[in-house]
Amino acid sequence: MIRVKHLTALIIAVLLLICCLSSCDDSSNSVMMVADFNISKDEYLYFWNNHRKAHPDADSEVIKKLCESSLKEAYSLWKLANDNGYKFSDDDNKKVDEYLSQALDMYGGEEAFNEALSKANMTESVFTEEMKRQTLEISLRNYMMDEKSAIIKSDDKTVEEDISKNFYRIIQIYIANDEGESIEENKELSQSVFKQLSDGASFEELSAKYNEDEAQPQEGYCFTYGQMLKEIEDNTLRLDIGEISPVFESEGGYHIIKRLEITKEYRDKNFETLRYYYQCRIFNEKRETTAENMEIKYLSSYNDLTLK
């Protein structure tokens, strides 16, 4: 259930999900600019077509705004790299080449690979730039977290203070709406479990019996902002230590959570993991701030696009 914002090398996911792209800086083929970065026709159409697919009933202005938001998020990485003195390295380029080789091998050759790209509204150049962005995100985050750069301050004292203010620990009972199951029956079961808890039953015992979140650690989850499903985070923030939430629903099923104390013993045992979570949050906050402050400029060539 935890959703730490890290990247994956799974090429299939890149092809099927709406991703953020990196710097296709070809001014001769540009239709708009995000800050100082040129956005190519192919790149913009990739965003437009996938947002249109995800929101078929939305009007064109809504799709346009979604594209702007996605592009800002994508190019915030390059802006953040420039602002903090990070340059795309030879090692980064080697990783991109490896991703492309893996993709070709996965699809059994260039013809099948290009067919998969077409289905995802991608071109090979756009796919390559996505691989560059993924590589940049990992390298830039590590660079900003490194003690030598000290861009993200993460000494023990700073992290300890942040844990006390911005971290939460929970255990949950999750009943998943798996394919073929009755959603109504799952809802009734989760409500029955909540009633048992209200009548004094042990949360831990009922969790062992009913919880379907196989990834949940024995000591529960400990997280900071932006790492968990929004529904879990929102409900956690409403609880005091020891309190239990009512049943709430997410896209995948029904949840009941209990907020736990972050004891000194737990913090010390998991300190390096919590430090990493803290660093990821600060990195994401810097990226989000950068994205918010980036300006959009449409070029005259934008009007020549055929947008459905």
Side-chain angles (χ1 to χ4, degrees):
M1 285 296 164
I2 198 160
R3 298 186 358 177
V4 178
K5 293 187 177 178
H6 65 284
L7 294 170
T8 173
L10 294 177
I11 305 300
I12 293 177
V14 173
L15 292 175
L16 298 180
L17 297 177
I18 298 175
C19 307
C20 298
L21 304 176
S22 63
S23 179
C24 292
D25 200 4
D26 179 7
S27 59
S28 65
N29 191 34
S30 298
V31 295
M32 65 182 295
M33 297 186 71
V34 177
D36 296 326
F37 303 99
N38 292 291
I39 311 301
S40 72
K41 172 184 175 181
D42 287 344
E43 182 176 9
Y44 189 83
L45 288 175
Y46 168 73
F47 277 105
W48 180 277
N49 290 329
N50 281 291
H51 278 306
R52 171 58 73 197
K53 183 178 180 180
H55 306 277
D57 298 326
D59 63 38
S60 295
E61 284 303 311
V62 170
I63 302 299
K64 187 176 181 180
K65 291 297 182 183
L66 288 172
C67 289
E68 289 180 0
S69 178
S70 294
L71 286 161
K72 283 184 176 183
E73 182 181 354
Y75 281 89
S76 64
L77 276 174
W78 294 97
K79 181 72 164 59
L80 198 59
N82 291 345
D83 291 347
N84 289 281
Y86 182 81
K87 304 296 183 183
F88 206 73
S89 67
D90 289 341
D91 285 343
D92 290 331
N93 280 314
K94 288 179 182 177
K95 290 176 184 177
V96 173
D97 291 341
E98 290 173 2
Y99 287 147
L100 291 172
S101 178
Q102 290 170 11
L104 287 170
D105 289 344
M106 179 179 293
Y107 286 97
E110 190 167 349
E111 183 177 350
F113 174 56
N114 287 330
E115 183 179 349
L117 290 178
S118 179
K119 289 180 180 178
N121 297 311
M122 266 186 163
T123 62
E124 187 170 344
S125 63
V126 171
F127 177 81
T128 301
E129 295 305 324
E130 166 58 15
M131 295 300 95
K132 290 172 66 176
R133 186 199 67 84
Q134 288 201 18
T135 302
L136 174 65
E137 182 166 352
I138 296 171
S139 298
L140 176 61
R141 187 174 60 214
N142 290 338
Y143 168 76
M144 293 177 67
M145 290 178 178
D146 192 274
E147 291 182 3
K148 294 179 181 178
S149 71
I151 296 169
I152 296 177
K153 186 179 178 182
S154 49
D155 57 275
D156 289 358
K157 182 180 179 181
T158 298
V159 176
E160 286 176 7
E161 291 177 352
D162 194 83
I163 291 171
S164 67
K165 295 177 182 177
N166 299 310
F167 277 72
Y168 301 87
R169 183 181 167 206
I170 63 164
I171 187 171
Q172 77 162 341
I173 298 171
Y174 173 62
I175 297 172
N177 290 328
D178 293 326
E179 186 176 354
E181 293 185 347
S182 167
I183 294 177
E184 188 59 36
E185 288 180 4
N186 286 340
K187 182 177 181 180
E188 290 176 1
L189 174 59
S190 63
Q191 290 171 338
S192 172
V193 171
F194 179 71
K195 185 178 186 307
Q196 294 177 62
L197 291 168
S198 300
D199 291 340
S202 165
F203 193 100
E204 288 71 18
E205 289 181 5
L206 291 181
S207 179
K209 183 176 181 180
Y210 293 107
N211 180 42
E212 298 178 6
D213 178 11
E214 297 178 356
Q216 178 167 257
Q218 187 174 0
E219 296 178 306
Y221 291 112
C222 191
F223 62 94
T224 187
Y225 303 109
Q227 290 184 294
M228 297 293 279
L229 294 172
K230 186 176 187 303
E231 295 87 349
I232 292 178
E233 181 177 306
D234 289 347
N235 279 275
T236 298
L237 297 180
R238 299 187 184 106
L239 300 176
D240 291 326
I241 292 172
E243 284 189 327
I244 296 172
S245 76
V247 176
F248 62 91
E249 186 177 3
S250 71
E251 183 177 353
Y254 296 95
H255 307 253
I256 305 169
I257 60 176
K258 178 180 180 180
R259 185 174 169 191
L260 306 175
E261 179 184 5
I262 304 175
T263 62
K264 183 179 185 301
E265 179 183 8
Y266 179 90
R267 185 198 69 192
D268 292 347
K269 178 181 177 182
N270 298 279
F271 193 76
E272 291 308 314
T273 298
L274 300 182
R275 190 201 305 272
Y276 177 71
Y277 290 172
Y278 158 80
Q279 291 171 324
C280 287
R281 192 193 79 234
I282 299 301
F283 175 81
N284 289 328
E285 288 173 354
K286 289 180 178 293
R287 182 179 177 183
E288 288 166 6
T289 299
T290 300
E292 289 172 0
N293 294 324
M294 297 178 79
E295 295 184 356
I296 297 286
K297 178 182 178 182
Y298 288 92
L299 305 179
S300 59
S301 52
Y302 177 84
N303 298 320
D304 297 330
L305 290 177
T306 301
L307 303 173
K308 299 179 181 179

